[in-house]
Every structure is written in C-alpha cells, then in structure tokens.
Amino acid sequence: RTDRPVTDTMGGEKRAYDGGGGKKNKKAFYGRPKTLATIPYDAMGYIVTSDAGRERYSWRDTVRNLNDTYESIFPEEAAAAAAARSEKVADDSKDASDKLAAELAELKESGGDEAADFARAERFKHVNLDLKACVFVRMKWEATQKISPSELALRMLTNTRDKGEPVSRHTLRIVPVEKVCFAAVEDVVKAAKPLIDEAFPADCEEGKEKTFAVVFNSRANSSLRRSELVPQIANLVPEPHKVELGKPQLVVLVEAVKGVATIAVVKDYYGLLKYNQRLLSMNEEERRAERARCMPPAKDAEDKKDEKKEADGEDEEETKEETKEET
C-alpha cells in the first residue's frame, strides 16, 4: 500500500509502518475479550452447573425436566399448551395476510402488552453467563406466581432421589434463585431480609421453631467475603429459631456470580446432597466412586510424616542461615 507512512530505520533504509502488531497478535496477547453476561436483577430461576464443555446439553435437559415437573403439578398448563399447539397448526392453513391482520388487531386491543410480555414467552429460558460449566435458567414470571423456584426444585430432586427420574447425564447441581442483587454485603442483607422474614416468623408457636444454616458459594467473584457476609445473614433470623450446621431444616443459600449475588431459602439441602442431581440418581456405591473420582487422593500417614520432616529441615536450614548472617 502506498498510503502507509514511511519511516527511517537505523540502516538508512525505509520501510512501510503498519501500526505495530496485527489483529492476530493482539488477540493472542490480550486473550479472549471480557463480556457483560450475567444474571438479570429481576430474574428468578436456577444456576445450573455441569460438566465442562457440556453446558448446552445440561441446560436442555434441565429445562425439559423442569417443564415435566411443572406440568405434573399443574396439568391444566399442559392441556393449555397442547390446545395452543393444535390452534397454531390450524392457523397455519390460513392466508398470510389474514394472519397478519389478526395479529395487528390483537396488538391494538391489548395496547401493546403482548409486545411487552414477549420476553416472558417461554416458561424456562436459558441465559448465557459466559462461564465454564455454569449457566442460568430463567423461570417465567407468571410461573413463579404459582410455585417458587425453590419449591419446584425440591419436587423435582425429591422425585430423582425417590423414583430415579428425572435425570440428566451432564447436570450436576441445580441451585434455586429467588432474589438477585448487587454483590455487596449491604445489598445482600437488604435483599435477603424479606425472604428470611417469610421463612422464619418471629411469632411462631412453641415447638415450631426451625433450624437453619447459611451457605455461601462464589464463582468469578472476589468482592464478597464469607467471614463478613454469613454472620450478618444469620443475625437476620429471629431468636426462636436456632443454628444447626449438621442437618438444618432450612438453608439460606447465597451464590456470588460475577458482579451479582443470588439468594434463596431451600429445604432439605443436605438430605438432597446439596441439590446435586447426578449424585441423587446414583446408589451408594456409585456415589462413593463419583466422589473418589472428583476428590484428590488422600495422603498416607507416612507421606505426611515425610512432608513434616522436609518442612522441619527447611526451617532448620533457614534458622542456621539467619544465625550466620547475624554473626
């Protein structure tokens, strides 16, 4: 190209200046660009973890299993969906101009509400988080008014434990999400208070006190600290209810994902193996094998003694060197 500026080199020769490294070099140097994919603040649904590289198959299975469980609880929803499908097939036989005119008339009568509710057209919708082995499944707002995400997940995972279905080959944990807020301690405490007040009434009758625990997990987030957040969440629970870390009746589940935090109050958290669908679909022998596969091998007593001796020897050498320097 002749329009490039020409610069002198040390040897006196001239060469064209192309502005430094090319696009390929820049991409290789800076790596993959960051994205703003995250969980919307007004969303309710589920954080779904899976095998790395199998996120797509995982959320598809999860959406199908959630829909099956939801329709088993509300069979009228399944009947309405079947009627809508048959009506759509009948409408396909009409002329395209007639269909367009009917849709325009319907939009005018509703005042544009149909266009505003277009984002809630599906009961469960996948939201990309741009994280490895983690996606978000958003639950339709109208569906959350009939059953909460925590209750629906409890029904589905209980069926997996007791009946062996539904299952998913690549799905691991299914974490309910009822509140989403900014990932700061004061914001999380403020968002968690309504959920805790509903789940733990202060004026409960004697003998109906509940045991609870606070569980905090973090993904791609370093702003929230467990030591700062957990005590403040626990202080929101009124006095009649007691802390139980072994097997509590209710668990206040807080998940930090990128710049947001999700909150939910779930039941039977440890009884359902921390809401791990894969482990719930296995027997005890398969669970032990799966845990052994995922956990690093335990060190023997002799290996620990050897490591201790090596550490003691290094400390002695450092002490001798410090003494020599002082001398």
Side-chain angles (χ1 to χ4, degrees):
R1 290 177 56 184
T2 59
D3 56 346
R4 292 181 179 176
V6 179
T7 58
D8 291 336
T9 61
M10 294 182 65
E13 299 178 356
K14 296 183 177 181
R15 63 180 179 84
Y17 175 69
D18 59 356
K23 291 183 178 179
K24 293 183 178 179
N25 294 335
K26 290 181 180 179
K27 187 175 181 181
F29 181 79
Y30 290 105
R32 187 177 180 181
K34 296 181 180 180
T35 64
L36 299 177
T38 187
I39 303 174
Y41 282 116
D42 60 340
M44 298 175 70
Y46 306 92
I47 297 172
V48 181
T49 62
S50 64
D51 296 326
R54 295 293 183 268
E55 296 87 357
R56 185 176 183 181
Y57 304 103
S58 174
W59 71 257
R60 282 184 176 179
D61 292 344
T62 303
V63 167
R64 183 184 66 251
N65 295 337
L66 288 170
N67 271 313
D68 292 343
T69 306
Y70 182 89
E71 291 177 358
S72 66
I73 301 171
F74 304 102
E76 66 277 6
E77 293 279 342
R85 284 194 293 268
S86 61
E87 185 178 353
K88 183 178 180 181
V89 172
D91 289 344
D92 289 340
S93 61
K94 295 182 181 179
D95 187 66
S97 59
D98 296 337
K99 291 168 62 179
L100 180 60
E103 290 177 2
L104 290 174
E106 186 177 357
L107 285 175
K108 289 179 180 179
E109 291 176 0
S110 61
D113 291 341
E114 294 291 334
D117 293 339
F118 181 76
R120 300 174 180 174
E122 298 179 2
R123 188 180 297 150
F124 298 100
K125 188 175 182 181
H126 163 251
V127 177
N128 181 31
L129 299 180
D130 198 26
L131 290 175
K132 184 179 290 186
C134 182
V135 298
F136 181 70
V137 175
R138 184 170 185 173
M139 189 173 179
K140 188 179 177 182
W141 184 81
E142 286 82 355
T144 62
Q145 304 306 300
K146 293 188 175 182
I147 186 170
S148 66
S150 300
E151 185 64 28
L152 184 60
L154 178 67
R155 296 279 192 98
M156 183 181 70
L157 295 175
T158 302
N159 290 338
T160 302
R161 181 188 61 185
D162 298 341
K163 303 178 182 179
E165 59 180 17
V167 296
S168 174
R169 182 178 179 182
H170 301 291
T171 300
L172 299 177
R173 296 182 63 221
I174 300 177
V175 181
V177 173
E178 296 183 352
K179 289 282 186 180
V180 183
C181 65
F182 181 70
V185 175
E186 55 273 11
D187 294 85
V188 176
V189 172
K190 183 179 179 181
K193 192 176 187 316
L195 294 175
I196 292 177
D197 291 343
E198 182 181 357
F200 303 95
D203 55 349
C204 65
E205 300 178 1
E206 186 178 355
K208 293 187 178 181
E209 301 88 355
K210 298 177 182 177
T211 57
F212 75 95
V214 181
V215 175
F216 173 76
N217 297 308
S218 179
R219 296 179 180 85
N221 179 282
S222 58
S223 60
L224 278 179
R225 303 293 180 184
R226 187 191 314 270
S227 58
E228 299 176 1
L229 179 64
V230 171
Q232 296 198 37
I233 296 293
N235 290 336
L236 295 176
V237 181
E239 183 62 31
H241 311 283
K242 299 180 180 179
V243 176
E244 172 61 44
L245 300 180
K247 195 173 181 182
Q249 295 173 314
L250 297 176
V251 168
V252 182
L253 195 56
V254 182
E255 300 273 338
V257 182
K258 290 189 172 182
V260 301
T262 68
I263 312 159
V265 180
V266 300
K267 301 177 182 178
D268 202 12
Y269 182 70
Y270 293 103
L272 291 174
L273 305 180
K274 299 182 180 180
Y275 280 40
N276 191 315
Q277 191 176 36
R278 172 178 290 178
L279 292 180
L280 288 171
S281 63
M282 299 177 177
N283 55 38
E284 285 299 328
E285 184 177 354
E286 292 172 339
R287 289 172 188 167
R288 285 194 294 269
E290 179 70 13
R291 287 172 177 144
R293 184 181 68 86
C294 297
M295 295 294 291
K299 295 182 180 180
D300 297 335
E302 295 181 358
D303 295 338
K304 293 181 179 179
K305 289 181 180 179
D306 294 338
E307 290 182 358
K308 188 176 181 181
K309 288 180 181 178
E310 292 177 0
D312 294 341
E314 292 177 358
D315 293 340
E316 290 178 0
E317 291 178 0
E318 291 178 358
T319 305
K320 290 179 182 179
E321 291 178 359
E322 291 177 357
T323 306
K324 289 180 181 180
E325 291 177 357
E326 291 176 358
T327 304

